[in-house]
Each structure stands twice: as C-alpha cells, then as structure tokens.
Amino acid sequence: MLVSERIGQYFVDSGSGRDRLEYTEYGAGDAWVVLLHGQLMPRRMQQPLARALAAEGLHVVTLDLLGHGRSDRPADPHVYSMTAWAEQVVALLDHLGAPQAVVGGTSLGANVSLEVAVLAPERVRGLIVEMPVLNNAVEAGILAFAPLMFAARFLPFTVSGLRMLTRPVPRGLVPFWAGILLDTLDQRPASVAAVVHGLFFGRVAPSSRQRRAITAPALVVGHPADPIHPAADAAMLAEEMPNATFLRAHSILEWRVRPDRLNRAAAGFALGCWQTQRRARRTSR
C-alpha cells in the first residue's frame, strides 16, 4: 500500500540557541507512532518500518534528534543528553498536536523512548524498544565509542576525511543500508565529539527503579551475539516493566534484511495499543 510522506520541521531551545529539528510523516490519522534512530544514524534508517506501519493504518513520524541527520548539530556537549532528547520527542508531539503516541526506537532511540516514558508517561501509549543499552553493555559501549570521541576531538581530520569521501556518493545508486552507512559516516568532528561526550557523562538510561514504574505496554526486541546491545539487557528490561513482552530476533540483521516477522509483530503491537484505547473510550460512553 502506498502512503503519503511529508517532511516537516520544528524548533527547540537547546540551551545554546534555537535549534531546528527535522522529521518525516508517513500516513495519517490519530494513531500516532514515533520512531527514533540509533546513535549517529539518520532517521531514514527507520523508513522501511515506518512505511510498513503506515500501510497498516498508523500515523508514523521519524525524527532526527538533535545532533543527527538533517537536524541541527551544535558543538556544545551540554545540549546532548537522554533527557534533552526525550524533551525533544515531547516537543514533537506538541508540535504535531498528538496527545499520545507509541514511541519506539533502536539503540539510542530505544533508550530515549524509555526516557520519554519516565518524563511524560501520560504521552506514551506504548513502547517499541529494540536493542536497549543498559547494565550489561557499559564496557562494550566505552570500547566502541571512546576512540570515536578521541578521534573527533584530537584528530578531527579523520572524521572530516570520511565525510569528504562519503558525502559525494549518490545515495540512490547504492543499496538502502549502504546509503544509511554513508549517512552515518557523514559527520562533523565538533558535533560528533559533543554527542558522544554528552552520552558518556550523562545517564545512559532510566534507573531500574524508574523502569519498573513504566506501566505502558512495551514490545522489547533483543538480538543474540551483540555485545553493545546484549540480549540480556533486553530480557532484563522486559522482566522489569510490568506490561512488557520480550521478542528475540534471530540476529542483529533480521530487521534489516528479512523484516517481515518483526514488522508484523511491531504493527500488531502498535495497533493493539490504539485499539485498546478506542475500546476503552467506547465503553466509557
């Protein structure tokens, strides 16, 4: 099914100025879903899932969080934190006039979704959490991203050089996920150092106590053999939240190369969140 797609923008006060955020809407209606990307990746990574969900009648929005994709990328590390990104999602809902949404994301986007549920639980109809980064991922995360922060801060020519090589490649001439990789490598040294710095020196996720208090229904997807996003973290999160279901992916690549099973699960979950609300409204009349 073909669905409409529209690009929009809104502005937030990040503390260092007035910053522009860009998003894409898929479909229409009042059954809102917000999808968030992984760290340093563009919102376009969620395009296949967004189109699949919109084809089921959901109104899907993908967002470039501050410092990512086509949104502004300040070089101030103080503007980057899980809480700040969660506030940007709530500001998006306000901008769209959406009272509630199913909020979900991958990796960084998964953790931001949890922060939204803590910050504004009344705005969250449900959660789709893929590859959360929690207790078991700390060491691997440091090993993966500390060298990146060091290179961006002290060897900026390495980041700029990658950008010079990848930016001219026409995205329409390469496979979709190759294009996402090229977009991920299209970074500016000062902003990427600030993003990683903000992550390292802020909290990575809500505390276990806060996670246990999240009552929104949740679909938690974990991958085997992924040290940065261990399945143990996803399984632990599903046990902590009282209304969560754990779904094990066959591999980290399943949702990228053979997405049908997980797309169906996500669509069924999101539709169920909204159908539950509508049945409750009819009963209350």
Side-chain angles (χ1 to χ4, degrees):
M1 180 186 297
L2 295 176
V3 297
S4 63
E5 299 182 12
R6 303 169 298 283
I7 294 175
Q9 64 177 6
Y10 66 109
F11 295 86
V12 297
D13 185 357
S14 67
S16 66
R18 191 82 169 154
D19 292 308
R20 172 185 171 276
L21 301 181
E22 189 172 290
Y23 61 88
T24 302
E25 283 186 72
Y26 301 81
D30 60 359
W32 295 91
V33 178
V34 175
L35 296 178
L36 306 171
H37 51 76
Q39 184 174 351
L40 302 180
M41 302 181 77
R43 71 181 187 274
R44 197 164 70 93
M45 71 159 290
Q46 297 289 13
Q47 182 185 81
L49 176 58
R51 287 176 171 173
L53 297 182
E56 298 294 330
L58 294 157
H59 192 167
V60 186
V61 184
T62 59
L63 171 66
D64 278 333
L65 296 164
L66 193 67
H68 295 79
R70 295 178 62 86
S71 291
D72 284 349
R73 303 188 189 190
D76 181 358
H78 296 98
V79 306
Y80 298 111
S81 68
M82 289 295 174
T83 302
W85 283 317
E87 290 171 348
Q88 292 162 25
V89 176
V90 176
L92 172 65
L93 297 181
D94 292 340
H95 170 76
L96 296 169
Q100 287 188 318
V102 174
V103 182
T106 301
S107 187
L108 171 71
N111 286 39
V112 174
S113 300
L114 295 173
E115 288 285 356
V116 176
V118 171
L119 175 70
E122 74 283 358
R123 307 299 293 274
V124 176
R125 189 63 200 166
L127 293 166
I128 300 174
V129 181
E130 183 198 9
M131 300 194 299
V133 180
L134 302 176
N135 308 48
N136 297 298
V138 174
E139 294 84 356
I142 292 173
L143 289 174
F145 292 106
L148 174 60
M149 183 172 67
F150 180 89
R153 185 75 72 194
F154 300 108
L155 302 170
F157 63 88
T158 59
V159 177
S160 298
L162 276 175
R163 186 169 190 255
M164 290 177 62
L165 290 173
T166 58
R167 191 171 179 81
V169 179
R171 302 307 192 251
L173 297 182
V174 297
F176 177 81
W177 287 106
I180 297 300
L181 175 60
L182 292 172
D183 287 346
T184 303
L185 295 174
D186 183 7
Q187 302 290 340
R188 301 167 182 83
S191 63
V192 73
V195 168
V196 179
H197 182 281
L199 283 172
F200 273 10
F201 294 97
R203 77 173 188 178
V204 175
S207 66
S208 178
R209 178 182 59 81
Q210 290 174 316
R211 298 194 299 260
R212 292 178 186 278
I214 297 174
T215 58
L219 178 66
V220 182
V221 181
H223 303 158
D226 179 1
I228 298 180
H229 314 95
D233 273 351
M236 177 181 68
L237 178 64
E239 290 181 0
E240 289 175 328
M241 296 193 297
N243 296 309
T245 300
F246 177 62
L247 177 61
R248 182 181 294 274
H250 297 316
S251 74
I252 193 173
L253 296 177
E254 181 182 2
W255 220 337
R256 271 80 250 179
V257 298
R258 294 182 178 177
D260 290 349
R261 181 179 76 98
L262 298 177
N263 281 356
R264 286 194 301 270
F269 171 80
L271 288 168
C273 290
W274 285 106
Q275 288 165 359
T276 299
Q277 184 186 51
R278 287 165 179 159
R279 282 197 297 269
R281 284 176 178 172
R282 284 197 296 268
T283 301
S284 65
R285 290 175 183 172

